[in-house]
Amino acid sequence: QKLFGRKDDSKPTAANSSAELASTPAPAPAPPPKAPEPPKIRVWDSYGRLTEFSREDWRTKVLPLNFEAARDNPDTLVKIISSSLADGFIVECLNSARRLRTLDPKRGGLLLGVVMNGLQRFEEGQRILSETIQNHGEDGQILANLAQAYQGLEQESLAEETLWRALVLDPNLNQGFAWYLRMDRARGKEDDEALRRIAAIPGAWRAKIWLAKRALDTKNIEEGLQIYRESLSCAVKPYPADLLMEMSGHLANAGYLPEALQLVEPHFEPAVHGLQVGNNLIKIHFDLGQLDSAEKIIQRLHALKQSSWKEGLRYWEEEIIKARMAINSPMPPEEMAMSLQLIEGPVWLKADSPAIELFPPKEPGKGTVCFLGSSCEVATNSKRVQQQLSDAPTRLSQALPVFFAEQLEFSTEASARTLVPWLDSESSPFVFFGETWKDEEAATYARQVEKPCDYVVTVHLKSAVKPWSVQVRLIRTIDAQLLGTIEEPFPESAYSGLKELTRKILGLLEERAEIKPVERPAIYQVPNNQNFSYYLFGLEQLLTLRCAGMEGARSKTGPGGHDAIEGTLHLSLAEPQNICVRILLAQVLIAMKRAKPEILAQFKEKIRWHQTDHALPAPAHGVVQRLMDEAFAGV
C-alpha cells in the first residue's frame, strides 16, 4: 500500500459523539443499490499480522474451533459468545451458550437468554432469564433482556415496567437507556422529561451528559459544564469510556475545545479508554494546533500494541505531518543547501556490521558504480518547490537505485554505491526532482564523493501517465560520456519486471563498462513475487532512517516508525529463513533506535519470539542475534 499507492479509504471519525436522540426525517426512497459484499471478519495474530475471513468461512471453519477450544473455560466462552453475537452469529452461539450456562449459571443464563431473544424464541428467553434472576438476583442487564423478551411476547406494559427496574439498578445501560427514551417519545413526551427521570437515579451519568448536551445546544455553556462535572462526580473511577467519549465529543462538536480537554484529558487512561476516547483527544489537540500533545497521545496508544488501532493512529500521524508541512513553508530555492548522502554497498550491509562476515569479500580495484535516483515525472502543472508526503512515485524513486545497487554488488566484481540527495532541513529532508539528472551533473556528483566512482547510473521514474516506465542512463564519470540508455515500462508484477530490468542493466555495464559478472553468493536471496513490494518498501524505509541518522543531518525524525518496523517484521515472518531479510529487519531496528528509540520497546517481545520461533542456521543466527542485541541494548 505504501509503495504502490493503494489507498485505504477508511478514516477515523474525529470527535464523534453518540447518535443524536432526536429522530430525523427519512430520506426519499432511492433505487436500491447493488448489495455490497458483507464485511469480512478481521483478526490479528500475536505478531500483529492481519487476516481477513469471509463471514461464511468464519462461521463454518473458525467459530466451531474457537468454541471447542474454549468449551471448559467460562471466561473465554463469554468473550467469544459476546463478540460473536455482536457480529451477528446468533444461531452459532446457541450450543456454546447452553454449555456456558452449566459452567457459569449467571453469565450463561444471561447470554443464553440473549441468544433466544435473537432467535425470536421469546418464551424460552423469558423463562431462562426469569430463572436466572430467581437463582442469582436482579441484575440490570438481565432485566433489560427480560424486558426485550416481554416485548417480543407483546406484553408491552410488563416490558416497560421491567425495563424501568433495569434502569433503576443500572441507569447507564446504553441500549436500555435509548430504548426507554424511545418509549417515552412514542407516547408523545419530550426527551428531557425522560432524561431528568433517569438522571435522578443515583449513579446516573449517561442521562446527565445528554442533559448537558441540551444545555450546549442552547448555548448555555456554564450550565452544561456544571452538569458534566456532576456526571463525573456520580461515576466510578476509572470513568467509563462512553462517558469520556461522549463528553469530549459533545463539547468538541459545539466548539468548546479547551473545555473538553480540561474536563476529559486528566481522566484519560489509554489502557481503559483506548482509541475510543484517545481519538477525540487527538482530534481536539490537532484542531487547536497542539501537534506535540496530539503525538504524545498517539505514542501512548501505540505503546499498548493494539493491532486494530493501527489504521486510526496512522491516519493521525500523516495528518500531523501534513499540518507541520503547512506551517513550515519550504525554503526559497536560493537558500536550500543540498548535499548528497553516500551509501556504500547494500543499504542493509554496512561495512562495520557483524553481518559483513557472512558474505565473500570484494576484491578492490574492480571498478565502482554509483546509482543516483530521486527523480520522477509526476502529473502536475506546478513548477515551484513544494513539500509533500512521500507517495508511490517518490518512494519508488528512492527504492529502485538501492535495489539495483545491491544487485550489482552481489552479481559483479564491481563495488556499488548509492547517492541520495538530501536537504539541510529539519522537515522534508529528501529532495526529489521532476526531471532526470543531467549527465554532467550526475558525473560531477559521483566524482566528488569521498570515494570517487568510475560510473554513475541515473534512475528516473516516469509516473505522469500510465503505464509507468523506468529510464536508466549509464554515464562514465571522468568525461560525463553517456554509454547507454535503457527504458522499460514499470510492470504490474514488480518482481518479474525489475528482475528483467536488472538483467539488462548488468548486461549494459558488462558490455560498455567492462564490469564482469560473478556468481551470486547463495546467502543472497531476493524475496519472491508475493513479498517483493514489501522488500522494496523495507529498503526505502531503511534508506530514510540511515540518512536521517548520518552525521550532520538536521532531520532526525525519519518515517512514522511503526510501519517501518512492522512491515519489515512481517516480511521476515513471511520468509523466515531469508537471512538477508532478517539482517534488513535488524538494521531497521538499529537505525530506528537512533531516530525514535521510544518505540523500540513495543517490538522487543515480538522480535524475541521471531528469533526463537524461526531460528536461522549457524553462523547467521548468531550474527543476527548480535545485531538484535545491539538494537535493544538499554531498551
Side-chain angles (χ1 to χ4, degrees):
Q1 286 177 344
K2 285 281 185 183
L3 201 59
F4 296 112
R6 302 187 185 100
K7 294 183 179 179
D8 183 350
D9 293 330
S10 61
K11 291 185 176 66
T13 302
N16 189 25
S17 62
S18 292
E20 264 289 358
L21 296 179
S23 60
T24 57
K34 183 179 179 181
E37 290 188 12
K40 293 182 180 295
I41 304 296
R42 310 177 82 201
V43 294
W44 289 263
D45 68 7
S46 58
Y47 287 105
R49 291 176 293 183
L50 172 65
T51 303
E52 294 186 324
F53 295 87
S54 70
R55 291 182 63 83
E56 183 62 16
D57 282 348
W58 184 264
R59 184 183 70 81
T60 59
K61 299 177 182 178
V62 180
L63 266 186
L65 296 177
N66 289 349
F67 280 135
E68 179 60 28
R71 69 182 314 273
D72 295 320
N73 187 326
D75 291 337
T76 305
L77 265 184
V78 167
K79 293 178 182 178
I80 296 175
I81 293 171
S82 298
S83 64
S84 298
L85 289 172
D87 288 331
F89 297 106
I90 301 173
V91 175
E92 292 74 16
C93 291
L94 181 56
N95 290 334
S96 292
R98 285 174 171 152
R99 170 70 180 170
L100 178 63
R101 194 184 185 201
T102 65
L103 300 172
D104 187 328
K106 183 176 181 179
R107 290 189 294 176
L110 168 61
L111 287 175
L112 184 56
V114 172
V115 170
M116 291 303 181
N117 285 348
L119 296 174
Q120 298 189 17
R121 293 160 61 171
F122 297 112
E123 288 187 5
E124 292 177 84
Q126 182 269 326
R127 177 180 56 80
I128 291 166
L129 293 164
S130 295
E131 289 176 359
T132 305
I133 291 171
Q134 183 178 355
N135 294 330
H136 301 283
E138 290 194 336
D139 172 278
Q141 283 189 317
I142 299 175
L143 281 168
N145 284 281
L146 178 60
Q148 185 182 13
Y150 285 136
Q151 187 187 52
L153 294 169
E154 299 183 355
Q155 300 178 28
E156 298 294 340
S157 60
L158 194 52
E160 184 171 354
E161 175 191 336
T162 305
L163 178 60
W164 179 252
R165 285 162 54 202
L167 289 171
V168 169
L169 288 173
D170 187 351
N172 303 306
L173 286 170
N174 194 5
Q175 297 300 324
F177 170 76
W179 183 15
Y180 190 81
L181 294 176
R182 289 197 301 272
M183 283 183 174
D184 253 30
R185 192 183 302 134
R187 290 192 293 267
K189 295 185 178 181
E190 295 293 330
D191 282 336
D192 283 7
E193 183 180 340
L195 286 171
R196 295 187 188 283
R197 192 181 310 131
I198 299 172
I201 301 171
W205 55 260
R206 191 180 293 277
K208 287 184 174 65
I209 61 176
W210 280 99
L211 286 171
K213 185 179 185 302
R214 293 289 190 267
L216 297 185
D217 291 342
T218 59
K219 308 298 182 185
N220 194 339
I221 178 61
E222 292 304 324
E223 180 185 352
L225 291 175
Q226 178 58 34
I227 300 174
Y228 281 133
R229 294 188 190 100
E230 291 174 7
S231 69
L232 290 171
S233 68
C234 70
V236 177
K237 292 185 177 180
Y239 294 129
D242 279 1
L243 168 57
L244 299 186
M245 182 200 70
E246 295 196 24
M247 184 184 297
S248 57
H250 294 167
L251 285 164
N253 287 335
Y256 299 109
L257 303 183
E259 292 82 357
L261 290 179
Q262 184 181 12
L263 273 178
V264 174
E265 191 160 31
H267 309 298
F268 174 57
E269 298 180 34
V272 176
H273 304 122
L275 189 62
Q276 189 177 11
V277 177
N279 184 66
N280 282 4
L281 295 176
I282 295 168
K283 166 67 172 168
I284 293 167
H285 279 300
F286 182 85
D287 286 348
L288 289 171
Q290 300 169 358
L291 303 183
D292 289 346
S293 297
E295 274 191 321
K296 288 178 182 177
I297 296 176
I298 291 170
Q299 292 306 322
R300 292 174 69 189
L301 291 168
H302 267 308
L304 295 173
K305 297 180 281 190
Q306 293 294 317
S307 298
S308 59
W309 297 351
K310 288 185 299 185
E311 291 177 10
L313 296 178
R314 182 186 298 122
Y315 166 77
W316 282 120
E317 287 172 335
E318 293 185 355
E319 290 301 300
I320 288 171
I321 293 173
K322 292 176 187 176
R324 287 198 167 119
M325 285 182 175
I327 295 169
N328 302 316
S329 300
M331 293 182 290
E334 62 273 11
E335 297 181 16
M336 292 182 178
M338 189 193 78
S339 60
L340 288 164
Q341 303 280 23
L342 178 66
I343 304 293
E344 298 190 52
V347 68
W348 44 264
L349 192 60
K350 298 175 69 173
D352 60 352
S353 169
I356 203 76
E357 66 191 58
L358 299 175
F359 296 86
K362 278 280 183 181
E363 186 178 344
K366 296 297 183 179
T368 306
V369 180
C370 169
F371 290 84
L372 176 59
S374 298
S375 70
C376 51
E377 294 176 11
V378 295
T380 178
N381 294 322
S382 175
K383 299 297 182 183
R384 62 185 177 86
V385 175
Q386 58 187 19
Q387 297 182 98
Q388 69 172 59
L389 283 174
S390 293
D391 55 12
T394 55
R395 288 182 184 278
L396 272 175
S397 71
Q398 288 178 273
L400 293 180
V402 176
F403 174 70
F404 293 144
E406 73 176 46
Q407 289 279 297
L408 179 132
E409 180 77 14
F410 293 124
S411 303
T412 74
E413 293 180 334
S415 297
R417 307 280 188 270
T418 308
L419 279 177
V420 185
W422 189 265
L423 191 65
D424 187 20
S425 166
E426 296 194 10
S427 64
S428 301
F430 277 115
V431 183
F432 299 96
F433 299 90
E435 298 177 350
T436 188
W437 293 89
K438 290 182 173 61
D439 296 348
E440 295 80 4
E441 288 180 336
T444 299
Y445 286 133
R447 287 198 310 270
Q448 289 178 346
V449 294
E450 183 179 349
K451 298 177 180 179
C453 301
D454 301 309
Y455 301 92
V456 60
V457 177
T458 60
V459 181
H460 181 63
L461 180 66
K462 295 184 177 182
S463 58
V465 296
K466 292 185 178 181
W468 294 1
S469 62
V470 180
Q471 182 191 78
V472 173
R473 297 169 67 85
L474 172 61
I475 303 156
R476 189 168 54 210
T477 61
I478 194 170
D479 56 4
Q481 178 67 43
L482 176 65
L483 302 182
T485 302
I486 302 170
E487 184 162 339
E488 293 285 328
F490 191 81
E492 291 288 331
S493 170
Y495 177 75
S496 59
L498 291 182
K499 186 177 180 182
E500 177 62 18
L501 181 55
T502 300
R503 187 189 66 78
K504 291 184 178 181
I505 293 172
L506 297 179
L508 180 64
L509 283 162
E510 181 180 7
E511 178 185 351
R512 304 290 174 84
E514 299 182 355
I515 301 294
K516 295 181 180 180
V518 297
E519 185 177 352
R520 290 183 180 182
I523 193 174
Y524 176 58
Q525 297 176 331
V526 175
N528 62 31
N529 187 34
Q530 182 179 359
N531 298 317
F532 182 66
S533 61
Y534 299 103
Y535 183 62
L536 289 181
F537 173 62
L539 295 179
E540 183 264 343
Q541 293 284 277
L542 179 55
L543 176 69
T544 304
L545 287 165
R546 278 195 58 181
C547 289
M550 286 182 174
E551 185 177 353
R554 290 168 60 192
S555 173
K556 302 296 180 184
T557 57
H562 299 86
D563 282 354
I565 298 177
E566 197 163 67
T568 315
L569 171 59
H570 292 177
L571 171 62
S572 188
L573 289 166
E575 300 207 357
Q577 294 303 305
N578 190 320
I579 296 170
C580 299
V581 168
R582 194 76 66 92
I583 297 171
L584 171 64
L585 171 61
Q587 292 294 351
V588 166
L589 294 167
I590 291 170
M592 189 64 72
K593 186 175 185 177
R594 298 189 185 99
K596 291 189 174 181
E598 67 275 7
I599 74 171
L600 277 191
Q602 300 167 30
F603 293 91
K604 187 173 184 178
E605 189 175 36
K606 293 178 182 178
I607 297 299
R608 179 175 59 80
W609 293 340
H610 186 28
Q611 285 291 95
T612 303
D613 296 344
H614 308 106
L616 296 168
H621 183 79
V623 168
V624 171
Q625 189 58 53
R626 285 156 60 190
L627 292 171
M628 298 298 186
D629 292 342
E630 178 185 347
F632 289 104
V635 175

